[in-house]
Amino acid sequence: MYAQMVKSEATKDDPEKLAAFQARIDAGEKIEPKDWMPEGYRKTLIRQIGQHAHSEIVGQLPEGNWITRAPTLERKQILLAKVQDEAGHGLYLYCAAETLGVSRDELTEMLLSGKMKYSSIFSYPTLTWADMGAVGWLVDGAAIMNQVPLQRTSFGPYSRAMIRICKEESFHQRQGYDIMMKMASGTPEQKRMAQDALNRFWYPSLMMFGPSDKDSVHSSQSMAWKIKMNTNDELRQKFVDQTVPQAEYLGLTVPDPDLKWNDETGHYDFSEPDWTEFFEVLSGNGPCSAERLEARNKAWDDGAWVREGMLAHAEKKRALKTAAE
């Protein structure tokens, strides 16, 4: 449905403008907010950047839950800094989306109402401290795999926002892997906790790249516009190839009995995630989906007085400035 809508909108645009726009994309030029763009391009960017921003904001919830229970003061400080980074990433991305003519309030309302999604991974619970390692190592690792190519995406504000985000995400992945190293080399119980976290987060992490290419309705047009630089399956394969040796180094086992190295392809063969589960989670039926949206709605409602106060203050300043003039 969405792909048909984008296509129908594109046909409404002037063919000469469309051809000139595509020529700029093909030449590797950046599209800036004041440049002419097809309506389908604009809406695709709003959807992708909005969902990306929402994922950064909702992604604070499963980790923020562990700040007060971190095992040492150093771990508490690191996790607190990481959660703060995620908030900043969301703000960068909301700012990038606003240049496309959609307000932050509109995007937030779409999240809170369920009209706009966030990454499926954040609808899963974090049950132990080892999950903080798995989230950093696997979830942020998958995020980096997705996001590094976006530094070359065709829309200027999105591309520039990703430069800083990717630098900070690389820190997040390293701190997660460090937690897993400590757990895997600790007591037998700690190693069991690390293995359990890997078992639970492996397939949800593979789902982060989106559905299989044959089922992805957005990829073809997004890649033609260079909003997206790689297919879902390409990035998923790259993630598996990179992560399996890391798990072996930790002495942990990837929970896939069909996982094996393929000399002919030069890649690992692996089992596909349960796509029925993926689409169930995406539709709002994940283990923590209702809890996550409830938390965001509560935060929005509880913060109403702050927003109202800031707006009143801004209006007062404008009125004083106008009177002085």
Side-chain angles (χ1 to χ4, degrees):
M1 178 66 74
Y2 179 84
Q4 292 174 344
M5 179 183 72
V6 169
K7 185 176 180 181
S8 65
E9 286 172 345
T11 59
K12 296 176 186 177
D13 292 312
D14 185 309
E16 290 186 8
K17 286 185 176 181
L18 282 172
F21 179 82
Q22 190 62 51
R24 290 188 63 193
I25 297 291
D26 295 341
E29 294 183 30
K30 295 296 183 194
I31 306 301
E32 299 299 338
K34 292 184 179 180
D35 294 343
W36 183 88
M37 64 185 72
E39 184 62 15
Y41 178 85
R42 187 183 74 85
K43 289 194 172 184
T44 298
L45 279 169
I46 289 173
R47 176 187 60 81
Q48 181 168 322
I49 299 174
Q51 290 182 359
H52 191 168
H54 296 331
S55 298
E56 299 284 358
I57 297 301
V58 176
Q60 298 174 92
L61 296 173
E63 292 178 307
N65 185 45
W66 279 92
I67 291 173
T68 59
R69 294 182 286 164
T72 67
L73 178 59
E74 180 184 25
R75 291 294 183 190
K76 188 189 299 288
Q77 291 174 318
I78 292 171
L79 186 57
L80 185 60
K82 183 188 178 191
V83 171
Q84 185 177 10
D85 283 348
E86 307 294 4
H89 298 174
L91 294 179
Y92 304 153
L93 293 164
Y94 284 135
C95 287
E98 284 177 319
T99 67
L100 293 160
V102 60
S103 73
R104 196 172 308 181
D105 282 0
E106 288 176 302
L107 290 170
T108 301
E109 287 167 6
M110 284 189 277
L111 167 67
L112 299 181
S113 67
K115 291 180 181 177
M116 189 174 272
K117 308 299 183 183
Y118 57 87
S119 180
S120 59
I121 191 71
F122 299 121
S123 286
Y124 289 87
T126 47
L127 304 178
T128 71
W129 173 250
D131 288 8
M132 294 299 95
V135 168
W137 170 38
L138 299 175
V139 176
D140 291 317
I144 292 169
M145 200 66 69
N146 265 318
Q147 294 170 11
V148 165
L150 292 176
Q151 295 175 107
R152 297 180 284 111
T153 194
S154 61
F155 186 56
Y158 194 20
S159 170
R160 291 187 288 272
M162 293 314 305
I163 294 172
R164 178 166 179 174
I165 289 174
C166 286
K167 288 178 180 177
E168 293 177 348
E169 291 289 1
S170 66
F171 157 75
H172 299 168
Q173 184 188 30
R174 287 196 297 272
Q175 68 85 31
Y177 195 70
D178 183 64
I179 291 174
M180 294 300 276
M181 285 185 66
K182 291 291 191 297
M183 300 290 287
S185 61
T187 66
E189 179 59 27
Q190 287 173 324
K191 186 171 183 178
R192 281 194 293 271
M193 288 172 64
Q195 182 64 59
D196 175 64
L198 172 57
N199 292 347
R200 286 183 287 106
F201 277 92
W202 175 252
Y203 283 109
S205 296
L206 295 188
M207 295 176 191
M208 287 179 65
F209 298 96
S212 176
D213 290 344
K214 67 180 185 300
D215 298 319
S216 178
V217 298
H218 302 138
S219 288
S220 178
Q221 183 60 75
S222 290
M223 291 189 70
W225 279 331
K226 293 187 180 178
I227 293 174
K228 188 174 181 177
M229 308 304 291
N230 302 90
T231 71
N232 298 347
D233 288 342
E234 286 173 351
L235 293 173
R236 192 170 7 256
Q237 181 69 65
K238 188 176 180 181
F239 174 76
V240 172
D241 290 347
Q242 175 181 285
T243 308
V244 170
Q246 295 172 352
E248 291 173 347
Y249 180 80
L250 292 172
L252 301 177
T253 303
V254 173
D256 181 355
D258 297 324
L259 180 73
K260 64 178 184 296
W261 178 255
N262 187 321
D263 284 324
E264 292 184 7
T265 64
H267 298 288
Y268 283 96
D269 294 334
F270 61 95
S271 302
E272 289 284 309
D274 182 347
W275 293 118
T276 300
E277 177 183 330
F278 170 75
F279 286 112
E280 272 293 297
V281 173
L282 208 61
S283 64
N285 297 317
C288 296
S289 297
E291 178 184 329
R292 300 292 186 244
L293 277 184
E294 181 182 353
R296 292 311 311 156
N297 272 283
K298 184 178 186 303
W300 181 255
D301 293 340
D302 289 350
W305 69 273
V306 178
R307 296 191 300 276
E308 291 166 3
M310 292 179 69
L311 288 170
H313 179 65
E315 184 59 38
K316 183 178 179 180
K317 287 182 66 176
R318 278 195 296 268
L320 289 172
K321 183 179 179 181
T322 302
E325 293 173 350

